[in-house]
Amino acid sequence: MKPPIIIINFKAYENSFGNSALELSKKIEKLSKEYSVEIILSVPATMIYRISNEVDLPIYAQHVDAVPLGAHTGAVLPEMIKDAGAKGTLINHSEKRLRADEIDDIIKRLKALNLESILCVDRYELVYPFSLLRPNAILIEPPELIGTGISVSKAKPEVITRAVDEIRKTNGVYLIAGAGITSGEDVYKAIKLGAQGIGVASAVMKAKEPEKVVEDFIINALKAMS
Amino acid sequence: MKPPIIIINFKAYENSFGNSALELSKKIEKLSKEYSVEIILSVPATMIYRISNEVDLPIYAQHVDAVPLGAHTGAVLPEMIKDAGAKGTLINHSEKRLRADEIDDIIKRLKALNLESILCVDRYELVYPFSLLRPNAILIEPPELIGTGISVSKAKPEVITRAVDEIRKTNGVYLIAGAGITSGEDVYKAIKLGAQGIGVASAVMKAKEPEKVVEDFIINALKAMS
Amino acid sequence: MKPPIIIINFKAYENSFGNSALELSKKIEKLSKEYSVEIILSVPATMIYRISNEVDLPIYAQHVDAVPLGAHTGAVLPEMIKDAGAKGTLINHSEKRLRADEIDDIIKRLKALNLESILCVDRYELVYPFSLLRPNAILIEPPELIGTGISVSKAKPEVITRAVDEIRKTNGVYLIAGAGITSGEDVYKAIKLGAQGIGVASAVMKAKEPEKVVEDFIINALKAMS
Amino acid sequence: MKPPIIIINFKAYENSFGNSALELSKKIEKLSKEYSVEIILSVPATMIYRISNEVDLPIYAQHVDAVPLGAHTGAVLPEMIKDAGAKGTLINHSEKRLRADEIDDIIKRLKALNLESILCVDRYELVYPFSLLRPNAILIEPPELIGTGISVSKAKPEVITRAVDEIRKTNGVYLIAGAGITSGEDVYKAIKLGAQGIGVASAVMKAKEPEKVVEDFIINALKAMS
């Protein structure tokens, strides 16, 4: 993982799986190479194997369960996503929250497996406490803005600046901003406010031409970093 | 789905995913062809695509979530498992229980997608009520026996006979028995008691030679049906 | 419990507890005596003892947990609500759903304690299956109408009529209609459509003069029954 | 709250509610006065009003839900327990875990209501992160020892010493040790290891003469503090 970090959460839309997801991933792969910017794709559990086999980008799971290997019907576990080709996973997304003890268990287990973790939080007050559990990055997303198209960069810039202040109390954990990020300008602002990257979902997944949106994000991320 | 129904729940053991899961699946495929008995494999979400692509057996998911397509990070949905090659799914396993409204939603959605459903219950009292939601089969498993090696056939035969009485109040829903099924004799008894098949997990997944266990199950299932 | 059944769910509003809840309960008690109509009050766990000690109405809990007596910190159990003076409880409200096996456990346990149960469902398809678990009554509430002021009687009368058809397949279980019930007319219609009573929350709890709303409900319930 | 802190979690045993709970509380009140030691009783939601009205000890809830006042059937909320006479509450007990965002919400809300909070954690790694959310105390309990009679003081003293090291990074948050505390010696050791108090449940609730157990705990707590 290296800044600017761009993570695209495929979620569970109609085009989040199957051939359309694969095609979208390939288009993003092309942009990633063209601009030499790493782009993380967080895809449904059923798609990790397929996409990571055909696309040269870091593929993440969207969630892993905290239970150990064993009699756990329906569990998606760190060992399984690694085997399927994932390089890491989102943890504690607002649509799939975990308890703090589960988060600690999962991060330790991911580290032992050499998998990366992006830990989601909904408020700056949790940034420093959760950074102490040593994920690779923390993604802050005010849940009330997720999916709205009203970006955290514009509507709640203080969430980013306070989160940046908090993350600076520790070392080696990136701070990523998300929620409502829609335009290149949102991306530019988030990074200028101190974030080392951005997280996005609907703005890409629901776009008519997602590759144009991603390209605009890349260009603005690079501009903000330079 | 046609009797004798043998469903093997891979759960989340070390050999439930990756190459070992694939090899096990291929051995079972061979037995299935040799004896002309359909064997259902219920595999982790990350493995559905791989196994259904390489093995000619009905592959099931172990669980699906009840949320619709959309912004649902981490969800495993009926549409996703179908796209990955699944022919159906377990629902409401004791290790992944759902609410009744969710079960009703999921069964309707599976039917619309032409996917099969095996609905798990823990007691005979729920067999007839849940049969009214029209799954393809109901798998009854007293949770206190799951994974113990003490079979429902021997320890609680009345659970099977009462469940059989209940399922007969309706038409077109199979009754499968599970929990602690370990030997061919357990399989034979379960079917003689009126079940149309059996569900098994640890007895196969933790066996040194799983294919021998499966073969023994098949032979006894056929003997009991004849 | 006898028709017309009027159950008022206090939920967790500012006036659902403390002295204001007690005063409201006393006003409703007066109306209940005046019209000789039983009115059930479903109150927060912390208020069961106080209200049942001071008010001569059947007091219900809003929820009970399915765990047995023992090491279960924070659990509200059937034995506790009985000890506090409750006569019964709501089960499976859309704001506190349970699994079917938990519902079956709870109903059996309530019966053993001589407590009543009103089991909530969100769709007519669950009315007959859940009636087989033998609660005293089933309260059908389409969740999308709860708290809206748009009544099930007017907006979705077919939900009531279909639920009535379903409940008639069994004996000795009442059918109560709820969701969005706001006016006496809503009450009248619900009962005319075949319900044996109504469930209400916000229309009473958020009213300026709740006792007038309740009186209007009583008058219309009696008119519809006669 | 002042050291030595002794908190007795009544949980949900047969004697955790009703007259037996009230009598037990009165016996403990007597000991508290005799030795001038504050003893916190954490009681079922249905008992808060009764016990706090009749017993002059700080009464705590065992859990509160994180939802705001409003349409939340079955919720036990900070405002309700305060109204019923509680002085504070346990949060995040291993038998009733919460998410970190919920914990942060609840602590802020308790503070606004002038209620105290004892936040439970299962590992020393969470002590400092959670101390940043500013509860009044953190109660560390290795869940594998809860209810076993094998005390954390003896079996895992390093859990206490490491937790004490962690709590010292912050100011104004007490550290309480629990799990398996059975004898006065366990209490003595826990406090000597640096804890400012102890949490106990089954050793008192399941004792034939609970008041003798409590007295022994008090004597040893005082001895360790002196």
Side-chain angles (χ1 to χ4, degrees):
Chain A
M1 204 185 290
K2 75 180 220 309
I5 299 158
I6 298 176
I7 172 156
I8 302 172
N9 181 356
F10 274 34
K11 297 201 174 179
Y13 298 105
E14 240 174 280
N15 56 337
S16 303
F17 56 94
N19 291 331
S20 47
L22 198 60
E23 280 162 35
L24 174 58
S25 302
K26 286 181 180 171
K27 285 178 187 164
I28 297 171
E29 180 190 26
K30 217 178 129 192
L31 289 166
S32 165
K33 303 224 146 129
E34 194 178 328
Y35 288 94
S36 295
V37 169
E38 194 183 80
I39 295 174
I40 300 168
L41 306 184
S42 184
V43 306
T46 55
M47 290 299 295
I48 297 171
Y49 180 78
R50 245 181 114 183
I51 299 185
S52 63
N53 263 5
E54 300 200 30
V55 177
D56 184 26
L57 286 176
I59 303 304
Y60 271 42
Q62 294 177 1
H63 169 79
V64 287
D65 292 299
V67 293
L69 288 176
H72 299 289
T73 301
V76 175
L77 301 182
E79 294 78 2
M80 292 175 184
I81 64 161
K82 176 168 184 168
D83 171 76
K87 202 184 160 189
T89 185
L90 286 177
I91 307 177
N92 196 42
H93 189 277
S94 71
E95 293 151 14
K96 203 88 180 176
R97 287 274 188 248
L98 293 159
R99 305 182 325 237
D101 54 307
E102 294 176 321
I103 292 171
D104 186 49
D105 283 344
I106 287 172
I107 292 177
K108 286 171 179 164
R109 194 161 155 195
L110 292 170
K111 276 189 199 304
L113 292 165
N114 263 317
L115 291 172
E116 297 174 355
S117 53
I118 296 181
L119 176 56
C120 304
V121 300
D122 68 341
R123 62 192 71 190
Y124 73 87
E125 292 95 327
L126 290 175
V127 168
Y128 179 53
F130 270 164
S131 75
L132 298 166
L133 306 182
R134 313 303 302 155
N136 295 84
I138 285 181
L139 167 54
I140 186 158
E141 298 189 297
E144 67 278 14
L145 296 180
I146 293 178
T148 59
I150 301 163
S151 78
V152 64
S153 320
K154 284 179 197 161
K156 301 210 167 178
E158 74 283 2
V159 170
I160 302 181
T161 51
R162 292 185 116 168
V164 167
D165 288 347
E166 292 292 310
I167 205 79
R168 282 186 182 145
K169 296 181 186 168
T170 195
N171 269 318
V173 181
Y174 292 119
L175 192 277
I176 307 173
I181 303 261
T182 308
S183 67
E185 199 194 334
D186 295 335
V187 173
Y188 182 83
K189 274 200 183 171
I191 294 177
K192 277 297 178 196
L193 288 167
Q196 279 127 340
I198 57 98
V200 71
S202 60
V204 170
M205 300 310 292
K206 292 167 133 183
K208 280 201 186 157
E209 299 176 293
E211 64 275 19
K212 295 216 171 151
V213 176
V214 175
E215 186 167 20
D216 190 30
F217 284 7
I218 294 174
I219 291 169
N220 277 277
L222 289 173
K223 191 171 74 172
M225 298 290 293
S226 66
Chain B
M1 203 186 290
K2 75 179 220 311
I5 300 158
I6 298 176
I7 171 155
I8 302 172
N9 181 355
F10 274 34
K11 296 201 175 181
Y13 298 105
E14 241 175 279
N15 56 336
S16 303
F17 55 94
N19 291 330
S20 48
L22 198 60
E23 280 163 34
L24 174 57
S25 302
K26 286 180 180 172
K27 285 178 187 164
I28 297 172
E29 180 191 25
K30 218 178 128 190
L31 290 165
S32 165
K33 304 224 146 133
E34 197 177 325
Y35 289 93
S36 294
V37 169
E38 194 184 78
I39 295 175
I40 300 168
L41 306 183
S42 183
V43 306
T46 56
M47 290 300 294
I48 297 171
Y49 180 78
R50 244 181 115 183
I51 298 185
S52 61
N53 262 5
E54 301 200 29
V55 177
D56 184 25
L57 286 176
I59 302 305
Y60 271 41
Q62 294 177 2
H63 169 78
V64 288
D65 292 299
V67 292
L69 288 176
H72 299 290
T73 301
V76 174
L77 301 182
E79 293 79 2
M80 292 175 182
I81 64 162
K82 176 168 185 169
D83 171 77
K87 201 183 160 190
T89 185
L90 286 177
I91 308 178
N92 196 42
H93 190 276
S94 72
E95 293 151 14
K96 204 87 180 178
R97 286 273 187 250
L98 293 159
R99 305 181 326 236
D101 55 308
E102 294 176 322
I103 292 171
D104 185 49
D105 283 345
I106 288 172
I107 292 177
K108 286 172 179 164
R109 193 161 156 194
L110 291 170
K111 274 189 201 304
L113 292 165
N114 262 318
L115 290 172
E116 297 174 355
S117 53
I118 296 181
L119 174 57
C120 305
V121 300
D122 68 341
R123 62 192 70 191
Y124 74 86
E125 292 95 328
L126 289 176
V127 169
Y128 178 53
F130 270 164
S131 75
L132 298 166
L133 306 183
R134 312 304 303 157
N136 295 85
I138 287 182
L139 168 53
I140 186 157
E141 298 189 298
E144 67 279 13
L145 296 179
I146 293 178
T148 59
I150 301 164
S151 77
V152 64
S153 322
K154 284 177 195 162
K156 301 208 166 179
E158 73 283 3
V159 169
I160 302 182
T161 51
R162 292 186 116 169
V164 168
D165 288 346
E166 292 293 310
I167 206 80
R168 283 187 183 146
K169 297 181 186 168
T170 195
N171 269 318
V173 181
Y174 293 119
L175 192 277
I176 307 174
I181 302 263
T182 309
S183 67
E185 200 194 335
D186 295 336
V187 173
Y188 182 83
K189 274 200 182 172
I191 294 177
K192 277 297 179 197
L193 289 166
Q196 278 126 341
I198 57 98
V200 71
S202 61
V204 170
M205 300 311 292
K206 291 169 133 181
K208 280 201 185 156
E209 299 177 292
E211 65 277 19
K212 295 216 170 153
V213 175
V214 175
E215 186 166 19
D216 190 29
F217 285 6
I218 294 174
I219 291 168
N220 277 278
L222 290 174
K223 192 171 72 173
M225 298 289 293
S226 65
Chain C
M1 204 185 290
K2 74 179 219 312
I5 300 157
I6 298 176
I7 172 155
I8 302 172
N9 181 356
F10 274 33
K11 296 202 174 180
Y13 299 104
E14 240 174 280
N15 57 336
S16 303
F17 56 94
N19 292 330
S20 48
L22 199 60
E23 281 163 37
L24 174 57
S25 303
K26 286 179 179 171
K27 285 178 188 166
I28 297 171
E29 180 191 26
K30 219 179 127 192
L31 289 166
S32 164
K33 305 225 145 130
E34 196 178 326
Y35 290 93
S36 295
V37 169
E38 194 185 80
I39 296 174
I40 300 168
L41 306 183
S42 183
V43 306
T46 56
M47 290 299 294
I48 297 170
Y49 180 77
R50 247 181 113 182
I51 298 184
S52 62
N53 262 5
E54 300 200 29
V55 178
D56 184 25
L57 286 177
I59 303 304
Y60 271 42
Q62 293 176 2
H63 169 79
V64 287
D65 292 299
V67 293
L69 288 176
H72 299 289
T73 301
V76 175
L77 301 182
E79 293 80 0
M80 292 176 183
I81 64 161
K82 177 170 184 168
D83 171 77
K87 202 185 158 189
T89 185
L90 285 178
I91 308 177
N92 197 42
H93 190 276
S94 72
E95 292 151 15
K96 203 84 180 180
R97 286 272 187 251
L98 293 159
R99 303 181 328 235
D101 54 309
E102 293 175 323
I103 292 171
D104 186 49
D105 283 345
I106 288 172
I107 292 177
K108 287 171 178 163
R109 195 161 155 194
L110 292 170
K111 275 189 199 303
L113 292 165
N114 262 317
L115 290 172
E116 297 173 356
S117 53
I118 296 182
L119 175 56
C120 305
V121 300
D122 67 341
R123 63 191 70 190
Y124 74 88
E125 292 95 327
L126 291 175
V127 169
Y128 179 54
F130 270 164
S131 76
L132 298 167
L133 306 183
R134 313 301 304 155
N136 295 84
I138 286 181
L139 167 53
I140 186 158
E141 298 189 297
E144 67 278 14
L145 297 179
I146 293 178
T148 58
I150 301 163
S151 77
V152 64
S153 321
K154 282 178 198 163
K156 301 208 166 178
E158 74 284 2
V159 170
I160 302 182
T161 50
R162 294 185 115 169
V164 168
D165 288 346
E166 293 292 311
I167 206 80
R168 283 186 182 147
K169 297 181 186 167
T170 195
N171 269 318
V173 182
Y174 292 119
L175 193 276
I176 307 174
I181 303 263
T182 308
S183 68
E185 199 195 334
D186 295 334
V187 173
Y188 183 83
K189 276 200 180 172
I191 295 176
K192 277 297 179 197
L193 289 167
Q196 278 126 343
I198 57 99
V200 71
S202 61
V204 170
M205 300 311 292
K206 292 168 132 181
K208 279 200 186 158
E209 299 177 291
E211 64 277 19
K212 296 217 169 152
V213 175
V214 175
E215 186 166 20
D216 190 29
F217 285 7
I218 295 173
I219 292 168
N220 278 278
L222 290 172
K223 191 172 71 173
M225 298 289 294
S226 66
Chain D
M1 204 185 289
K2 76 180 220 309
I5 299 156
I6 298 176
I7 171 156
I8 302 172
N9 181 356
F10 274 33
K11 296 199 176 182
Y13 298 105
E14 239 173 283
N15 57 337
S16 303
F17 56 95
N19 291 330
S20 49
L22 198 61
E23 280 163 35
L24 174 57
S25 302
K26 286 180 180 172
K27 286 178 186 163
I28 297 171
E29 179 190 28
K30 218 177 128 192
L31 290 166
S32 164
K33 304 224 147 129
E34 195 177 327
Y35 288 93
S36 296
V37 170
E38 193 185 80
I39 296 174
I40 300 167
L41 306 184
S42 184
V43 306
T46 56
M47 290 299 295
I48 297 170
Y49 180 78
R50 243 179 116 183
I51 299 184
S52 63
N53 262 6
E54 300 199 31
V55 177
D56 183 26
L57 286 175
I59 303 304
Y60 271 41
Q62 294 176 0
H63 169 79
V64 287
D65 292 298
V67 293
L69 288 176
H72 299 288
T73 301
V76 175
L77 300 182
E79 292 79 1
M80 292 176 183
I81 64 161
K82 176 169 184 168
D83 171 77
K87 203 185 159 189
T89 185
L90 285 177
I91 308 177
N92 196 43
H93 190 276
S94 73
E95 292 151 16
K96 203 86 181 178
R97 287 273 187 249
L98 292 159
R99 304 181 327 235
D101 55 307
E102 294 175 323
I103 293 171
D104 186 49
D105 282 344
I106 288 172
I107 292 177
K108 286 172 179 164
R109 192 161 157 195
L110 293 170
K111 274 189 200 305
L113 292 166
N114 263 319
L115 291 172
E116 296 173 356
S117 54
I118 296 183
L119 175 56
C120 305
V121 300
D122 67 342
R123 61 191 71 190
Y124 74 87
E125 291 95 327
L126 290 175
V127 169
Y128 179 53
F130 270 163
S131 76
L132 298 166
L133 306 183
R134 311 304 301 156
N136 295 84
I138 285 181
L139 168 52
I140 186 158
E141 297 189 298
E144 66 279 14
L145 297 178
I146 293 177
T148 59
I150 302 163
S151 77
V152 64
S153 321
K154 284 178 195 161
K156 301 209 167 178
E158 73 283 2
V159 169
I160 301 182
T161 52
R162 293 186 115 168
V164 168
D165 289 346
E166 292 292 311
I167 206 79
R168 283 188 181 143
K169 296 181 186 168
T170 195
N171 269 317
V173 181
Y174 292 119
L175 192 276
I176 306 173
I181 303 261
T182 308
S183 67
E185 199 194 335
D186 295 335
V187 173
Y188 182 83
K189 275 200 182 171
I191 294 176
K192 277 298 179 194
L193 289 167
Q196 278 127 341
I198 58 98
V200 70
S202 60
V204 170
M205 300 310 292
K206 292 168 132 180
K208 279 199 187 159
E209 300 177 291
E211 64 276 19
K212 296 216 169 151
V213 176
V214 175
E215 185 166 21
D216 190 28
F217 285 6
I218 295 174
I219 291 168
N220 277 277
L222 291 172
K223 191 171 73 173
M225 298 290 293
S226 67

